[in-house]
């Protein structure tokens, strides 16, 4: 079955600055591990972790360095090449969320959908993506989803909290927590970090 183009694909070269920005931050020694610290905190030791839309690999590599068994997936060939160059020890699958087959990859203790992935999925596929996340979660597993609530990035969409919660519920997920950052600031109108579990 063919998949609809993602908003990321449709934005094309307008998104190339993402990888360049984080490459510069990594080179400068900046702290780029906020997401990884939160994911590590909620994961059992040596957890199976799936990073959906792993980008240039910084979150997946940080989790792998902390001893987790990480599966990274990134459909963008340019970002995948950057990931392989920056973190050569990190294997990256060329799949988007809907192309992941739970029968092949198995279940995960933690599924990461961070870095604005949800506001770049294909139009009207949000519930399908969240349903796939649920399929990929182990029974006691949790998903962490983070995105800007308004369309501040090239090609992204505005995704209001009530709509996201409705989509998650329809996909068989429930909200365990909502924060305003990966450092667990209180919820706000700019950015949301959700911790989800199977309903």
């Amino acid at each position: 079955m063919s998949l609809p183009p993602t908003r990321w694909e449709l934005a094309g070269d307008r998104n190339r600055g993402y990888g360049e920005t984080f490459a510069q931050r990594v080179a400068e020694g900046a702290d780029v591990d906020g997401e990884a610290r939160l994911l590590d905190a909620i994961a059992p030791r040596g957890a199976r972790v799936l990073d959906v839309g792993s980008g240039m690999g910084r979150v997946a590599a940080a989790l792998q360095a902390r001893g987790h068994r990480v599966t990274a997936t990134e459909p963008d060939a340019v970002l995948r090449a950057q990931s392989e160059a920056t973190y050569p020890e990190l294997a990256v699958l060329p799949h988007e969320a809907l192309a992941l087959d739970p029968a092949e990859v198995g279940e995960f203790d933690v599924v990461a959908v961070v870095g604005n992935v949800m506001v770049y999925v294909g139009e009207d596929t949000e519930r399908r993506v969240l349903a796939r996340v649920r399929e990929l979660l182990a029974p006691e597993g949790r998903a962490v989803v983070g995105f800007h609530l308004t369309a501040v990035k090239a090609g992204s969409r505005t995704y209001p909290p009530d709509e996201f919660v409705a989509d998650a519920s329809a996909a068989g997920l429930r909200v365990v927590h909502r924060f305003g950052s990966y450092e667990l600031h209180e919820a706000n109108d700019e950015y949301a970090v959700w911790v989800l579990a199977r309903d």
Side-chain angles (χ1 to χ4, degrees):
M1 180 182 68
S2 63
L3 298 173
T6 64
R7 291 180 177 87
W8 182 270
E9 288 176 287
L10 294 174
D13 289 341
R14 290 187 292 160
N15 283 321
R16 290 294 161 234
Y18 162 80
E20 296 166 5
T21 296
F22 276 102
Q24 182 175 348
R25 290 180 185 175
V26 169
E28 293 171 349
D31 177 13
V32 294
D33 287 351
E35 300 99 323
R37 281 194 299 272
L38 175 58
L39 291 158
D40 179 56
I42 69 170
R45 296 307 83 195
R48 288 203 75 215
V49 180
L50 173 66
D51 186 359
V52 177
S54 57
M56 53 103 48
R58 61 188 177 82
V59 176
L63 290 168
Q64 186 168 271
R66 287 166 168 82
H68 298 294
R69 293 167 291 158
V70 180
T71 298
T73 70
E74 176 51 61
D76 186 305
V78 173
L79 288 176
R80 205 163 56 247
Q82 182 179 355
S83 177
E84 291 166 356
T86 308
Y87 305 106
E89 71 286 354
L90 178 69
V92 184
L93 300 175
H95 304 311
E96 63 173 278
L98 291 175
L100 291 169
D101 184 350
E104 293 181 4
V105 297
E107 294 181 333
F108 295 86
D109 302 300
V110 177
V111 176
V113 193
V114 297
N116 287 308
V117 169
M118 282 305 300
V119 293
Y120 279 113
V121 300
E123 186 173 357
D124 297 326
T125 66
E126 289 84 358
R127 290 190 179 189
R128 288 173 58 197
V129 169
L130 290 166
R132 182 56 48 87
V133 167
R134 186 195 182 282
E135 290 179 294
L136 293 162
L137 275 179
E140 300 300 318
R142 284 172 288 181
V144 176
V145 182
F147 55 87
H148 280 96
L149 295 168
T150 55
V152 297
K153 303 290 186 180
S156 68
R157 63 160 290 191
T158 292
Y159 203 171
D162 56 348
E163 184 179 344
F164 175 78
V165 171
D167 288 346
S169 178
L173 295 164
R174 61 184 171 86
V175 175
V176 179
H177 302 290
R178 176 188 168 188
F179 303 107
S181 74
Y182 295 100
E183 289 75 34
L184 310 188
H185 290 99
E186 64 188 80
N188 57 62
D189 295 330
E190 296 180 7
Y191 199 88
V193 176
W194 312 85
V195 179
L196 308 175
R198 284 176 154 192
D199 200 357

